Amino acid sequence: MEFTAKNLRINISNGIITDIQPGDSDSSLYISPRFIDLHCHLREPGGENKETLKSGIESAFYGGYGTIFTMPNTNPVCDNPDTLNYILSNSKNQYSIIVKPICAITSGLSSENITDFAGLKKLGACGFSNDGKPIENMEVLKKVLIKAKQSDVFLVSHAENTSYPPQDSHSEWTAVKREIDIVRETGGKLHFAHISTKESIELIRQAKQEGLHITAETAPHYFTFSREDITSDDGRFKMNPPLRSPEDVEAVKAGLKDGTIDIIATDHAPHTRGEKLLDYDIAPPGITGFETAFSLAFTNLVRTDYLTMEELIDKFVYNPAKIAGVKFHSIEKGGIAEFNIIDLNKKYTVLGTKFKTKCKITPYEGIELAGKVISVVVGNKVYNLENGETEWV
Ligand code: DOR
């Protein structure tokens, strides 16, 4: 079977790519490797009313993801072999998605007891993070960076200085600053999650120029909305870090453009309908991300000429793979056919009720987006995401 898109023309037979040719510039389709998300919350075990491994994986599949890294703030926390094994074994063989669990840096996300990086890595941990909660004791962070370097693990920072309210930009950038100092001191390596402020971006830009081993991510909400879009007391718009100023939104876009921000992660963080319909002050932070991430990025970054399509795919596939050290199915002759087919001309209105995630409440409700993953090819199967049908080729 032949697939023709703007960038590539691919022939597959028995699930193997038999030929790759240049595409047809008139096509509105684009073929990409399946996306890699370095940051999501699937809630199981312990939060199955918000999301299960199954519903989260289905949601990721419909967003075009093939590999997803799950954060450890489950209940129990993923800081031990049993919980890690539970996540690994209950997420297997669903939609050909590879789930890569990130384990906690400290036990219970709260104590100062650093987990067994080498042991958990051997059992399948694909990184370490206390996402959701910062490490604010810099002596502990110093030990963490040294230990991570010894065990060569992917380390993700939730940089937050809780002596400031979250709404104050200082809560993010003063934490980024002190953590960069520890990276410099230890020669360690650190990936900053969900970066949202102009000051943090400038600090990361300088740290990279200095040659420190630092990488950074943002999430679609930080280049889509500013705090000025929160026009009523509305818990749907609550996430941590919170939405920032319009200048911060511009800085996030500039950081993506010049490479200061390496990747776009979803920070898919579902909660129940009841929780997200609460007033802003009392709603839990977190919004769903898998099923809107690509379209938000394409609409807000590519159609507005901030990024080329190739640069966008770097942020969704190649840079995440490099940062977390993962292999993925690249598109090559003789390889297994595994790729997304994206319709760049497709326009649609976001309707939470159509989401596969359990959390159908979204701040994007009713907004019009362009560009959508419409099919996913995995081996000899073509999944049509529009009508849910599977074709064998
Ligand atoms: O908005 C957020 N939600 N930010 C976090 O850091 C944690 C996450 C969650 O687990 O709900």
Side-chain angles (χ1 to χ4, degrees):
M1 181 165 186
E2 183 172 284
F3 297 89
T4 304
K6 194 188 273 305
N7 57 330
L8 295 172
R9 189 188 299 265
I10 296 181
N11 275 285
I12 72 172
S13 173
N14 297 322
I16 302 292
I17 297 177
T18 53
D19 195 26
I20 304 178
Q21 296 293 332
D24 170 1
S25 57
D26 288 338
S27 173
S28 68
L29 303 179
Y30 191 96
I31 291 177
S32 81
R34 295 172 81 196
F35 307 145
I36 301 172
D37 188 16
L38 296 191
H39 189 153
C40 71
H41 302 263
L42 297 193
R43 307 300 189 203
E44 187 177 346
E48 292 81 355
N49 54 338
K50 298 174 193 259
E51 192 83 292
T52 60
L53 287 165
K54 190 167 182 293
S55 62
I57 288 169
E58 188 177 9
S59 176
F61 178 78
Y62 272 77
Y65 289 88
T67 306
I68 57 176
F69 285 65
T70 56
M71 285 299 173
N73 61 341
T74 47
N75 185 13
V77 169
C78 188
D79 58 6
N80 64 83
D82 285 350
T83 309
L84 174 61
N85 272 332
Y86 176 91
I87 294 168
L88 284 169
S89 51
N90 286 283
S91 59
K92 272 197 191 126
N93 302 328
Q94 295 177 55
Y95 293 101
S96 303
I97 286 197
I98 299 168
V99 172
K100 294 198 169 272
I102 291 179
C103 283
I105 294 173
T106 56
S107 50
L109 300 173
S110 55
S111 76
E112 303 194 335
N113 298 327
I114 302 171
T115 57
D116 176 11
F117 289 178
L120 290 165
K121 182 180 174 181
K122 223 179 262 170
L123 295 174
C126 297
F128 291 83
S129 180
N130 271 13
D131 185 67
K133 285 197 179 160
I135 292 174
E136 300 207 72
N137 180 333
M138 290 304 107
E139 287 309 309
V140 172
L141 187 66
K142 205 181 290 179
K143 285 189 200 141
V144 167
L145 277 160
I146 293 167
K147 205 170 154 182
K149 198 170 154 189
Q150 286 160 354
S151 306
D152 188 25
V153 299
F154 169 49
L155 200 63
V156 184
S157 159
H158 171 114
E160 184 176 355
N161 180 345
T162 57
S163 46
Y164 295 95
Q167 264 68 20
D168 183 339
S169 293
H170 284 80
S171 65
E172 181 180 281
W173 73 259
T174 58
V176 167
K177 189 169 194 300
R178 69 190 177 189
E179 293 184 17
I180 288 174
D181 288 343
I182 304 287
V183 172
R184 184 183 297 110
E185 196 181 326
T186 57
K189 207 164 146 184
L190 194 58
H191 175 71
F192 284 107
H194 46 51
I195 287 300
S196 65
T197 70
K198 56 181 190 293
E199 294 87 353
S200 306
I201 294 164
E202 187 50 33
L203 287 164
I204 292 166
R205 185 174 287 125
Q206 285 169 15
K208 284 184 162 193
Q209 272 162 12
E210 201 186 316
L212 303 184
H213 297 299
I214 280 171
T215 52
E217 95 197 8
T218 194
H221 26 286
Y222 302 116
F223 56 75
T224 301
F225 289 136
S226 76
R227 65 167 76 100
E228 292 180 6
D229 293 298
I230 312 174
T231 51
S232 61
D233 196 355
D234 190 340
R236 294 178 308 158
F237 287 83
K238 185 160 173 186
M239 68 281 292
N240 189 27
L243 296 176
R244 303 291 185 188
S245 69
E247 299 79 65
D248 291 311
V249 173
E250 287 311 306
V252 167
K253 291 181 182 174
L256 283 163
K257 179 74 197 166
D258 74 6
T260 303
I261 301 178
D262 305 88
I263 70 160
I264 296 169
T266 66
D267 201 355
H268 178 86
H271 294 285
T272 65
R273 176 187 168 80
E275 286 169 327
K276 289 313 288 180
L277 290 178
L278 292 169
D279 288 349
Y280 187 93
D281 281 348
I282 49 175
I287 67 171
T288 69
F290 291 134
E291 292 167 78
T292 44
F294 175 78
S295 302
L296 288 165
F298 182 73
T299 305
N300 295 320
L301 302 172
V302 177
R303 278 169 54 99
T304 51
D305 288 333
Y306 274 94
L307 296 184
T308 63
M309 192 58 192
E310 288 68 32
E311 288 169 330
L312 189 69
I313 298 302
D314 284 347
K315 312 279 183 199
F316 270 76
V317 182
Y318 298 105
N319 295 347
K322 206 156 76 188
I323 290 168
V326 286
K327 290 203 184 75
F328 64 97
H329 281 295
S330 54
I331 300 171
E332 53 192 26
K333 194 171 163 179
I336 294 174
E338 186 162 341
F339 50 86
N340 288 334
I341 301 175
I342 301 165
D343 185 346
L344 302 177
N345 284 357
K346 182 163 177 88
K347 293 209 170 75
Y348 69 103
T349 302
V350 177
L351 288 176
T353 49
K354 288 202 168 166
F355 286 170
K356 302 295 177 187
T357 169
K358 274 193 163 188
C359 178
K360 307 200 188 289
I361 301 297
T362 168
Y364 306 120
E365 185 72 32
I367 70 170
E368 187 169 282
L369 296 178
K372 196 169 195 284
V373 180
I374 55 163
S375 310
V376 181
V377 177
V378 183
N380 56 3
K381 281 182 264 180
V382 183
Y383 296 90
N384 180 330
L385 304 184
E386 301 294 286
N387 63 15
E389 285 172 13
T390 305
E391 198 185 336
W392 296 75
V393 290

